[in-house]
Amino acid sequence: MLEIKAVVYSPQLDTDFLFFTTENDLAEIEWPNAQAEKLTKARGLEGKFGELGSFQFEQNSQIRRLLTVGLGKTEELDLEKMRRALGQALQEAEKLKVKNLTIAPLAGPAFPVFERARVLTEAAVMASYRFERYLAEKKGVSLASLQLAVAEGDLAQAEQGLELGLILGRATNLARDLVNEPANCLTPEQLAQKARQAGEGSGFEVEILDENSIVKLGMKAFLEVGKASANRPKLIIMRHLGNPEDPEDILGLVGKGITFDSGGLSIKPGASMATMKFDMGGAAAVIGAMSAIARRELPLNVVAVVAACENLISGRGYRPGDIIGTMAGKNILINSTDAEGRLTLADAVHYII
């Protein structure tokens, strides 16, 4: 796992360096030494957005790598551009097999240190993501440690931003892991257990209802979608009760949890089928969000619901032309069995309300 920490900037740090540049700010940067400055300026870099530079220079009798990435015009700079630029720079660092890297303080106009540290940390965690669970040979990433360098008086703020960036980046990568799992390894039951594991690790409550409980609730539309599959549906309820003094003030999150969507009898084209394991991306996003909310210990009451099932084909499945009920007591005429998401979400939204 990539180690990220905040440090006080010194040109003598024993690592390779990454510098952000904006247009016409090269004179304001404190380079590691005169050789590094000369090499950089001789290349004619202009600081345009996404412009990459890579140099080698000597420091303390060692050859060091210096990377630069442009942020564009200072008046157009925002945190999203900084995040994207870092992603590009880290891709270049990976090609060069950089192992230890220090991001130097931003020259010229800058954002609050907390926000800058948050964004850079989140981007770095996400850039280090690989889904290699089923590969015989795991490549991983070359970068082992990343330092966010700041002025001495900014270190505390940088550490706080870094902490939040780690929470957000790891929550995003949790969602990515769930989405990348093949459908045979992430059935509704397995998705429910992944949510439980996330709750245990992050500190939110998880309740899982089986098919009998779903029937008792009257979630007819949800059950219709899932009834063709041998993998039975699960209702996943997640709770973070961070404001017990106001228990009626609740934020609700609902994520689509179709762990595989064949389209049912309104079957999808073959070319579209392989990616239908992604139809639980909403559920993954909600589980990741709950992980971040709980780890951040936000003073909010948040309840999240996922109606998890598979939309497959069998003699038990629902058909175009069927009229089905819902938990809300309304009836729905089915024109296409590939409109399954709105059916499961209708019951999940009614349940959470």
Side-chain angles (χ1 to χ4, degrees), residues 198-259:
E200 291 171 352
S202 301
F204 60 87
E205 301 174 14
V206 180
E207 181 182 4
I208 300 169
L209 301 186
D210 62 12
E211 187 171 12
N212 289 333
S213 298
I214 297 167
V215 169
K216 290 177 182 178
L217 287 170
M219 303 181 81
K220 297 177 182 178
F222 174 25
L223 290 165
E224 285 288 328
V225 173
K227 73 181 185 179
S229 174
N231 293 309
R232 308 314 295 155
K234 299 290 180 182
L235 185 66
I236 307 166
I237 306 125
M238 296 163 276
R239 300 180 180 91
H240 167 76
L241 305 179
N243 185 16
E245 295 181 0
D246 193 359
E248 298 301 317
D249 186 11
I250 302 173
L251 171 66
L253 302 176
V254 180
K256 183 179 177 182
I258 308 297
T259 58

Side-chain angles (χ1 to χ4, degrees), residues 120-191:
L120 295 180
T121 301
E122 184 179 357
V125 171
M126 291 169 64
S128 69
Y129 177 80
R130 302 289 186 276
F131 187 76
E132 299 182 326
R133 183 168 301 156
Y134 302 101
L135 297 183
E137 295 184 15
K138 297 175 173 57
K139 296 181 179 180
V141 293
S142 297
L143 190 64
S145 68
L146 181 69
Q147 290 72 237
L148 307 182
V150 296
E152 187 170 2
D154 293 331
L155 188 59
Q157 283 289 308
E159 288 174 341
Q160 292 174 19
L162 187 152
E163 180 183 5
L164 179 55
L166 286 174
I167 289 173
L168 296 175
R170 289 169 180 171
T172 301
N173 287 349
L174 167 62
R176 286 169 154 179
D177 273 343
L178 293 173
V179 169
N180 282 322
E181 284 286 352
N184 64 315
C185 297
L186 196 74
T187 62
E189 168 65 26
Q190 289 161 324
L191 178 60

